């Protein structure tokens, strides 16, 4: 199966979403895993921090697999390729 690698237009995806932000420099929001962009591998144009406070997430970064289990802080650098594999039903966290 071929995987599509895309980038995310964050400003368009977050338009109208309830988020906290400092100008266009820092965003804090929940439920980002519901963005359709995470259905495929995504090349990050900006750094991303994931704070997992409950549950777990299985991801791949540059094809290397990681499991985040609460409590966890995970940082994906700009230029890396992120792919979300699975998210537990009890997941709670911030991005």
């Amino acid at each position: 199966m071929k995987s599509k690698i895309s980038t995310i237009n964050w400003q368009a995806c977050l338009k109208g979403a309830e988020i906290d932000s400092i100008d266009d420099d820092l965003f804090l929001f929940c439920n980002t895993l519901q963005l359709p962009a995470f259905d495929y591998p995504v090349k990050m144009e900006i750094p991303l921090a994931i704070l997992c406070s409950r549950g777990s997430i299985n991801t791949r970064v540059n094809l290397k697999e990681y499991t985040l289990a609460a409590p966890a802080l995970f940082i994906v650098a700009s230029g890396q390729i992120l792919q979300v594999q699975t998210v537990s039903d009890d997941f709670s966290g911030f991005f």
Side-chain angles (χ1 to χ4, degrees):
M1 178 170 82
K2 252 186 171 176
S3 291
K4 175 182 170 187
I5 298 176
S6 62
T7 57
I8 296 176
N9 180 341
W10 288 103
Q11 290 161 332
C13 287
L14 299 177
K15 190 174 184 179
E18 291 184 28
I19 59 170
D20 293 319
S21 68
I22 299 174
D23 298 323
D24 282 339
D25 298 319
L26 177 67
F27 300 95
L28 179 65
F29 49 97
C30 298
N31 299 326
T32 191
L33 295 174
Q34 294 175 357
L35 292 174
F38 283 113
D39 292 341
Y40 301 97
V42 176
K43 184 172 182 181
M44 300 304 299
E45 294 181 334
I46 59 173
L48 173 70
I50 302 171
L51 176 62
C52 179
S53 58
R54 186 177 64 221
S56 63
I57 304 174
N58 293 317
T59 67
R60 287 185 183 167
V61 175
N62 293 338
L63 300 178
K64 185 173 180 183
E65 293 189 27
Y66 296 92
T67 298
L68 305 141
L73 173 64
F74 192 71
I75 298 174
V76 181
S78 178
Q80 291 185 315
I81 298 172
L82 171 68
Q83 183 175 14
V84 176
Q85 300 291 309
T86 59
V87 179
S88 68
D89 291 335
D90 62 342
F91 173 79
S92 178
F94 298 94
F95 299 83

